[in-house]
Amino acid sequence: MAQGIPDEALMNTALIKHLADVAKDAALLQGVLMRIPEKPNSSELVTYAPFTLFPTPVPKAVFLQALALQTHYNTLVDKISQDPDFLQEALASTIAVDDFTARLFRIHQQILKEGRCQSIMLGINRSDYMLDQREDGSSSLKQIEINTFAASFGGLSSHTPDVHRHILKVAGWQEKSQCIPDNSPAAGQARAVAKAWELYGSKRAVVMFLVEESQRNIFDQRFIENELWKRDIPTVRKRFDDVYKRGSLDQDKRLFVDGQEVAVVYYRNGYMPENYISGETWDTRLLMERSLAVKCPDISTHLAGTKKVQQVLARPGVLEKFFPNQPEVVEQIRATFAGLYSLDMGPEGDKTVEMALAAPDQFVLKPQREGGGNNIYGSEICQVLEGVKESTERTAYILMDKIHPAPAQNYLLRQDAPLEITNCLSELGAFGVYVRTSLFISAEAVAK
Amino acid sequence: MAQGIPDEALMNTALIKHLADVAKDAALLQGVLMRIPEKPNSSELVTYAPFTLFPTPVPKAVFLQALALQTHYNTLVDKISQDPDFLQEALASTIAVDDFTARLFRIHQQILKEGRCQSIMLGINRSDYMLDQREDGSSSLKQIEINTFAASFGGLSSHTPDVHRHILKVAGWQEKSQCIPDNSPAAGQARAVAKAWELYGSKRAVVMFLVEESQRNIFDQRFIENELWKRDIPTVRKRFDDVYKRGSLDQDKRLFVDGQEVAVVYYRNGYMPENYISGETWDTRLLMERSLAVKCPDISTHLAGTKKVQQVLARPGVLEKFFPNQPEVVEQIRATFAGLYSLDMGPEGDKTVEMALAAPDQFVLKPQREGGGNNIYGSEICQVLEGVKESTERTAYILMDKIHPAPAQNYLLRQDAPLEITNCLSELGAFGVYVRTSLFISAEAVAK
């Protein structure tokens, strides 16, 4: 969208109420759905997934920049995942204090020791940005984080453009409606999964979605499943427990679950410590990692997406190591880094502590864990840092410059929530997918 | 579908449970939705509209027959609607005892007296059939009724083919999946509404959906609204009360509601006595009928769809009157008539009473009212007829041969209902749309 929504419309209560009613029904009809919190594993009652009444304007140049960057970010993630020495060095301090990262790293090491039996790897990444406001009024793309594991909302967001186009049309803003670009991450993700399945090379084998215990966001995944079924690729949904109880490897390390061979394990669960409820869950993760199934992502790519790696990449010279002869790529990636600071023990980390305590409002303190909602701001940064600053516990965090996006007025539509105008800070997420395979495997697949 | 579902699959509880879960999510994602009974005017919580897990097989010849017939049925309905003498004669006995039909008829007469100011008429009809089993095992198409007013489920049923294709694919029946034809009544209906709107000839004028107080089935209508918006045709949803309070005709009889000129009144409410809660509702219906807006349908076409007219059409020589030189059309239409019998006072009606009391299981007693669920069967026919047989009250009913479709085993999916195998009796509904306009109006529209 070239321009925002006129103030007089934003303040027209009757219009907004009408548009919200139309928007909710449009979202429901487009499949922008969620199960309800009370019954996350039932589809008897559903609601619309939370969304904004109006689309958020993004300058075209910035939007195209995010898309162009994604190829470089995919390359970067892939290179990191194949550099065990870098991962070990980057994560050493985190592993020492963060049990979750440590356990993931142990699996990574065991796989390296045994030797990877599957060189095909499927990456589905989403790089999230905010638009930092410069003093001259322009905005620059700053990365918040990159998700290399279970990046979600590709399904639902494939259908929000039509909802927003409809709303703008009903509101009478035909031209604005035409400014909304198409979005089809679900189709793109399915294409990548299909490629991995095809390269695996068994028509009977299935794509296994490794899903959560509580599946409120199932519809986001169903869109990708449906795309795969359209290509005659069978999909199944299994929990860690299903795989633990009824999964096994044969002598060729082919993974079987409930009697079906698994070509691709697509993790939509396993990114938070809470997802691993017992030693058995960890054993199950290891079983899948050791298998011949293509993993999305494999354990190394999972680790490449950690916040600690993000912080290490911001150090001088590190990006150059991964793109030795491509200064322009280094420059493009680095331009999206906010200031990122280590809290490792030693003078560099001490300086970070000092800086954060002196001006906590300028920073975000990020613990090494995924899933959103864990970041620490303002005076709470001081509280946390005062508690851990003398111990190695502090290395479980990184510090990041706070980004200052321009707030945009909008209405957040969410089940049973009052209709109130809200200052919204938006993130822009760019999806990127890739299938990596050695030339040898690739040639073999072609020969089949 | 050429063949039904194998018994072993129908009895496989685990498979059926899995397929039902997949089917519900597929229906939800396709927009096959309903609001919940507890909150029929809120879209905060919705469920899937009731549907069968598997599609119902229909012989291809019978299916094509229903489609081919629809053009003739449209022609027939249209001719009846323009034949005031026929309507008056056919409905005379019903009007004498049925207050609802009488009130509709009074509006019809008043419009005739004043003279119709709008000759464009939009028809959206749905003819419903059952497949009567012959003794030789073949089946013949028998009409249950024709809906000329607020025929629904064109929106939702546009999306069930994809749901059923998906289910058959997931069940492993690729070939069966490919036998399901496309279905797009919503697009067809929208095309007809768009044509009527265009002929009305005012870009600013809206299509007004005249909707119920309780709007559980809103999504069925939203599909048509969305198709219209895609063509840049504005739609609004109004209740009788909205039109009563804020609707008026200008000196040219143009209808304005909430300040907007109405090009097309698309009735989705007004087919049951219960829809007319007061004299004001009847006044509002009259206001709309008197207006220049194109009605879908107009009052005459509404009356042409009554059960009494259906019964009169089955009398010898009546179809011939409407298709004087087309014996093959008469034959095709008549072939779909079940036995239909008058209960008017006199020897013909007396014979019908006698016949019904002697073998009630062979008939259905149908009161002159719409909306489904009002038909009377078996011993209840005797109870009702014994009560009314000596009075003119009996003329509020018609008697119809009971049709004997072959039951098909299936699973009915409905919010919170247990998953049980059920003997289902299905109807096949064929939609047909048309826009009638005099040549004069048509030429004028072209000249604009």
Side-chain angles (χ1 to χ4, degrees), chain A residues 24-25 28-29 31 33 36 43-48 166 169 174 218-219 222 226 229 232 415-416, chain B residues 24-25 28-29 31 33 36 43-48 166 169 174 218-219 222 226 229 232 415-416:
Chain A
K24 288 172 187 178
D25 285 351
L28 290 165
L29 285 184
L33 303 176
I36 58 173
S43 287
E44 300 304 309
L45 288 178
V46 299
T47 186
Y48 49 89
H166 184 58
K169 214 175 228 195
Q174 195 78 14
I218 187 170
F219 298 105
R222 288 289 202 199
N226 290 352
W229 279 103
D232 297 324
Q415 187 202 342
D416 288 326
Chain B
K24 288 172 187 177
D25 285 351
L28 290 164
L29 286 184
L33 303 177
I36 59 173
S43 287
E44 299 304 309
L45 287 179
V46 299
T47 185
Y48 48 90
H166 183 59
K169 215 174 227 196
Q174 194 78 15
I218 187 172
F219 298 104
R222 288 288 202 199
N226 290 352
W229 280 102
D232 297 324
Q415 186 201 344
D416 287 326

Side-chain angles (χ1 to χ4, degrees), chain A residues 162-223:
Chain A
D162 268 345
V163 175
H164 282 141
R165 282 189 200 113
H166 184 58
I167 282 309
L168 295 180
K169 214 175 228 195
V170 172
W173 304 313
Q174 195 78 14
E175 274 182 41
K176 285 188 205 301
S177 171
Q178 286 162 359
C179 292
I180 300 180
D182 279 331
N183 194 28
S184 49
Q189 287 169 50
R191 208 156 55 232
V193 177
K195 188 73 195 168
W197 177 85
E198 194 185 306
L199 289 171
Y200 182 86
S202 166
K203 285 236 167 234
R204 273 188 314 253
V206 302
V207 173
M208 180 173 82
F209 285 58
L210 199 280
V211 299
E212 312 99 301
E213 291 300 315
S214 173
Q215 301 178 43
R216 273 198 76 195
N217 199 21
I218 187 170
F219 298 105
D220 186 50
Q221 300 161 18
R222 288 289 202 199
F223 277 118

Side-chain angles (χ1 to χ4, degrees), chain B residues 211-342:
Chain B
V211 299
E212 313 99 298
E213 292 299 314
S214 171
Q215 301 177 43
R216 273 198 76 196
N217 199 21
I218 187 172
F219 298 104
D220 187 49
Q221 300 160 19
R222 288 288 202 199
F223 277 118
I224 302 170
E225 292 177 46
N226 290 352
E227 292 283 340
L228 290 169
W229 280 102
K230 275 186 209 156
R231 295 163 184 260
D232 297 324
I233 298 174
T235 71
V236 296
R237 301 174 61 80
K238 304 285 174 187
R239 297 181 174 90
F240 272 116
D241 193 51
D242 299 319
V243 181
Y244 179 77
K245 287 189 177 139
R246 300 183 305 278
S248 61
L249 304 189
D250 73 3
Q251 56 191 16
D252 300 322
K253 294 201 178 173
R254 291 186 299 174
L255 174 63
F256 285 83
V257 180
D258 288 319
Q260 290 177 299
E261 184 175 355
V262 176
V264 179
V265 177
Y266 177 23
Y267 291 105
R268 293 295 297 240
N269 187 26
Y271 53 97
M272 293 194 295
E274 294 83 344
N275 302 149
Y276 296 81
I277 51 172
S278 69
E280 292 165 357
T281 322
W282 284 107
D283 293 347
T284 309
R285 177 73 192 267
L286 178 62
L287 179 88
M288 293 186 285
E289 292 298 329
R290 293 179 64 224
S291 79
L292 191 68
V294 178
K295 273 73 68 181
C296 175
D298 64 10
I299 187 74
S300 320
T301 309
H302 186 174
L303 289 170
T306 52
K307 295 207 177 62
K308 183 63 194 178
V309 166
Q310 186 189 8
Q311 179 258 307
V312 171
L313 288 172
R315 284 192 179 143
V318 178
L319 281 180
E320 281 80 356
K321 175 179 139 61
F322 290 108
F323 297 98
N325 300 311
Q326 293 172 281
E328 71 296 345
V329 173
V330 168
E331 197 184 329
Q332 285 173 48
I333 294 180
R334 187 167 285 143
T336 65
F337 286 174
L340 287 152
Y341 313 97
S342 163

Side-chain angles (χ1 to χ4, degrees), chain A residues 345-391:
Chain A
M345 303 313 288
E348 186 189 347
D350 290 345
K351 204 178 132 198
T352 304
V353 171
E354 208 172 300
M355 193 167 76
L357 292 177
D361 287 337
Q362 289 175 28
F363 301 100
V364 186
L365 186 64
K366 294 186 154 193
Q368 180 49 59
R369 51 181 305 191
E370 299 298 321
N374 303 309
N375 295 338
I376 296 157
Y377 298 90
S379 61
E380 220 188 312
I381 291 181
C382 302
Q383 283 170 32
V384 172
L385 279 187
E386 290 293 351
V388 301
K389 69 180 183 183
E390 304 299 337
S391 79

Side-chain angles (χ1 to χ4, degrees), chain A residues 91 94-95 97-102 104 128 144-149 270-276 302-303 305-310 364-376 393-398:
Chain A
L91 294 172
T94 309
I95 290 165
V97 293
D98 183 72
D99 182 55
F100 183 61
T101 310
L104 292 175
D128 295 336
I144 303 301
E145 62 176 357
I146 187 160
N147 299 283
T148 65
F149 194 99
Y271 51 99
M272 292 194 295
E274 293 82 345
N275 301 149
Y276 295 80
H302 187 174
L303 289 169
T306 52
K307 295 208 177 63
K308 183 63 195 178
V309 166
Q310 185 189 8
V364 186
L365 186 64
K366 294 186 154 193
Q368 180 49 59
R369 51 181 305 191
E370 299 298 321
N374 303 309
N375 295 338
I376 296 157
E393 269 183 71
R394 79 182 197 195
T395 62
Y397 297 87
I398 64 162

